[in-house]
Amino acid sequence: MREYQMYINGEFIPNGDREMIEVVNPSTEEVISRVPCGTVEDVDAAVKAAYEAQKSWAKLSPVTRAGYLKELAGLIRENAELLGDTIAEEQGKTGAVGEVIGAAENIEYVAEFARRYSGEIVPSDDANENILTYKMPVGVAVGILPWNFPFYVMSRKLAPALLTGCTIVLKPSSETPNNTYELAKIIAKSSLPKGVVNVISGRGGVMGSALSGHPLVGIVSVTGSVPAGIKIMEAAAKNITKVSLELGGKAPAIVMADADLDKAAAAIAGNRMKNNGQVCNCIERVYVQESVADAFIEKITAVMSTYDCGDPRVPGTTVKVGPLISEEHLKEVDDMVKEAIAAGAKCVLGGGRDTTKEKGCFYQPTVLVNCKHEDRIMRDEVFGPVLPISTFKTLNEVIEKANDSEYGLTSAIFTKDLDVMMRAANELKFGETYVNTAHGEAYQGFHAGHRKSGLGGADGIHGIEEYLVTHTVYVSYDMDKN
């Protein structure tokens, strides 16, 4: 069995007799590795290593730092199959190599901003003065990673941090730490200076609070649940540490009567089933206009029924859907489905565990109709392959229902009417709105949520600026000097 070690200041730290965390393959329910269960002392060592390394790292030019990022992206590409297989094993994701390549592309994209992010020269009221605003690194960054897209989200935090002159401490989820430790092995063989990237692991309650509350940390970037985000903010508050949070979502998809129903069904099903429904920004609830509801439900049920479950690592497999992350998580999803049916929803597809599998946390693709807007299945996040559907009469009604949520990450609308498109763009209160397509944010966009979906964001120049602070310099000089 593999056993990983923490990576601090360019060294792998012997585990000794420390407590270890077992990592389970959700497809086979077998223990596949053990990782260190970190302590507050480990957090302190990693942060201090990053803090010392940041002093010299920040003095390098952005172009020089970008060179290190490009080197790292190249090494990730070279090891894509290994990294992808590691993710598929510990998380059950289909197409995991695509996540790895996407991370490499994102790192390369961010590196191209080395000559593009900038400060300003601001006019002064004093003729003998210039005002300069510099963009400076915020310092030590902490990246707390999720289990659903652990490697890609890593790139979203690591790349802008390193480009801007920050150093970073990465803390992977206890469910999926192996890929981050494999990355540490790659970094150890690269030319990156010691301490610039550090990897530690452990229980979220201990490590998250210690990292967020450390006085030497400049920013904590978290992708996770709302309760986790609240705890991070509470811990960061004592030092007024900056936080960037991407938390839960309950994305609505609105299907108008004039929509291309085949296109809408394919897009919504494909998006909902991505990573077996375990994606913060995937479509979580559908509102379809009454006059086309029956036709749309028939079409989307047919599409959803084509998604078969299985272990993506089995040779020759063509499965589209892997397992849920854990047995506990499967039970949470199943409980919500049963509650919805008890409240009056009708299950037209799936509705329970995939009993054709002897082992593994596999859940059937599920479609629920006749759902009421006030039902929990339409309001709380369901991290699984479950699609609840409700109907509406008017655009005013559905915009109000879509906005009636504690979340505000992503949204979608399917229509051919330009007026309806623009109303949705102006009135849907979400960080992102997709028109006649499903969610798949771009490197050059800005992925951010409103309300309980988070603070700050990632991607594009705005994501890079999360890791920068403004330093204003007033320069007074003698205009009369010859």
Side-chain angles (χ1 to χ4, degrees), residues 453-477:
S453 287
L455 297 170
D459 298 332
I461 184 60
H462 300 296
I464 291 170
E465 288 175 348
E466 291 283 292
Y467 296 86
L468 294 167
V469 291
T470 302
H471 180 196
T472 305
V473 178
Y474 296 82
V475 182
S476 182
Y477 61 96

Side-chain angles (χ1 to χ4, degrees), residues 418-441:
L418 178 62
D419 296 329
V420 173
M421 292 179 194
M422 296 313 300
R423 275 202 59 192
N426 290 332
E427 297 179 29
L428 287 173
K429 298 177 181 178
F430 294 82
E432 297 169 348
T433 296
Y434 296 80
V435 180
N436 292 326
T437 185
H439 314 128
E441 62 273 5

Side-chain angles (χ1 to χ4, degrees), residues 221-237:
S221 178
V222 182
T223 302
S225 67
V226 172
I230 291 171
K231 290 179 180 177
I232 293 298
M233 290 186 72
E234 289 173 344

